[in-house]
Amino acid sequence: MEANNQTQYKPAISFRSVKKSYEQDGQTYDVLQDVTGDIQQGTIVAVLGPSGSGKSTLLSMCNLMRTPDSGEVNIYGKEVREWNVNELRRTAALAFQSAPVLDGTVRDNLSLVQRLHQSQLYSPEELASFTGLPPELLDRSAKDLSGGQRQRLSLARTLANPSSILLLDEITSALDPVSALEIEKLIKRQHQEKKWTVMWVTHNMEQAKRVADTIWFMADGRLLETAATETFFSNPQHEAARDFLKGGTR
């Protein structure tokens, strides 16, 4: 999906003073604290940081899986809560680590976008081929897939959308290194062809180096550093980022 003339000069994704807290056992936990930043159209941003730093929460706000307590999340300059939710999720498609599978076959799962939106970029066979799902799995129950196969299925469902933004949350964490590289190459190739904007949460430092134009580093619910990928890894500015890269904080 191409950005229209009204959005082409706006950041694909922007966060403005975004805050999010959760209540648990009578205590308040600040998951996101005053996050502000822009992701430009056509770029790949890898979001790094220790576990619990708010990366996945921030990502999920881009297509209304969660909403901020205060602040704004904008897609092409329009606040997410002003979008029609179906249109938003066609525009900004999310694939995540532990995506649920639907009852029925793998083919049924891969036809979901067609059923919901009456449009789909690729057939189930093409989606399976893109993501390395063996074709003989198409008519098997999706509930029988392994963890790695479920991650491939989640990504395949995301690619079925006519999206211009991809939101990827640890999508290769259950894959072996060779399979993870195949998925990276797929995303990079499709990104180059379709000019996607990609926001990619990962714990894999080498993956971030390979795929990202820009790094966002988060810790304790704050966006502490943004930099070109090579700059971040060679000369991080924030002490928490330096500790993270040394392996002191994971």
Side-chain angles (χ1 to χ4, degrees):
M1 174 179 173
E2 298 289 340
N4 61 34
N5 291 333
Q6 293 179 326
T7 63
Q8 62 182 338
Y9 300 112
K10 299 180 184 295
I13 308 171
S14 64
F15 303 95
R16 293 291 177 266
S17 301
V18 173
K19 296 181 180 180
K20 183 69 176 180
S21 299
Y22 293 113
E23 296 284 341
Q24 185 175 343
D25 299 327
Q27 296 189 36
T28 300
Y29 297 90
D30 294 325
V31 181
L32 296 173
Q33 302 187 62
D34 202 30
V35 174
T36 294
D38 293 330
I39 294 179
Q40 300 303 321
Q41 295 181 44
T43 61
I44 299 179
V45 173
V47 187
L48 307 180
S51 296
S53 57
K55 305 182 298 295
S56 294
T57 300
L58 190 68
L59 192 77
S60 69
M61 290 183 175
C62 296
N63 79 345
L64 283 178
M65 295 292 286
R66 295 185 177 90
T67 56
D69 295 336
S70 61
E72 292 186 353
V73 180
N74 297 290
I75 300 296
Y76 295 126
K78 183 177 179 180
E79 217 282 326
V80 288
R81 286 163 289 195
E82 296 177 1
W83 282 76
N84 172 278
V85 67
N86 288 330
E87 180 64 25
L88 176 63
R89 290 174 180 171
R90 282 196 296 270
T91 302
L94 173 63
F96 51 99
Q97 184 177 9
S98 55
V101 297
L102 304 178
D103 290 335
T105 65
V106 172
R107 187 186 302 276
D108 292 334
N109 276 257
L110 294 180
S111 301
L112 175 65
V113 169
Q114 177 65 45
R115 296 198 303 273
L116 288 178
H117 305 308
Q118 288 74 56
S119 65
Q120 182 161 312
L121 286 179
Y122 306 107
S123 70
E125 288 79 9
E126 289 173 312
L127 292 166
S129 176
F130 288 161
T131 54
L133 280 170
E136 60 267 23
L137 293 181
L138 281 170
D139 295 311
R140 296 242 317 256
S141 171
K143 301 285 188 182
D144 294 336
L145 296 182
S146 68
Q149 289 168 340
R150 287 184 181 216
Q151 283 198 328
R152 291 176 185 273
L153 176 59
S154 175
L155 178 60
R157 282 193 318 214
T158 300
L159 295 179
N161 284 278
S163 308
S164 59
I165 297 173
L166 284 188
L167 309 167
L168 307 177
D169 191 359
E170 297 286 2
I171 59 163
T172 62
S173 62
L175 302 180
D176 62 82
V178 173
S179 297
L181 282 171
E182 290 174 355
I183 295 300
E184 289 173 20
K185 290 176 183 177
L186 166 67
I187 297 298
K188 290 281 284 185
R189 184 171 65 249
Q190 294 288 313
H191 163 259
Q192 290 167 357
E193 291 177 2
K194 301 182 185 307
K195 310 304 181 188
W196 279 338
T197 303
V198 183
M199 188 176 180
W200 193 328
V201 170
T202 179
H203 278 94
N204 187 324
M205 300 299 101
E206 294 305 313
Q207 181 174 79
K209 290 178 185 179
R210 289 190 296 265
V211 303
D213 303 304
T214 303
I215 302 295
W216 282 22
F217 175 74
M218 297 184 67
D220 298 322
R222 298 183 184 277
L223 178 58
L224 297 182
E225 190 164 340
T226 63
T229 300
E230 183 177 348
T231 300
F232 177 81
F233 282 104
S234 63
N235 188 28
Q237 298 299 299
H238 200 282
E239 182 178 0
R242 292 192 291 271
D243 287 345
F244 179 77
L245 292 179
K246 291 175 184 175
T249 306
R250 294 288 168 140

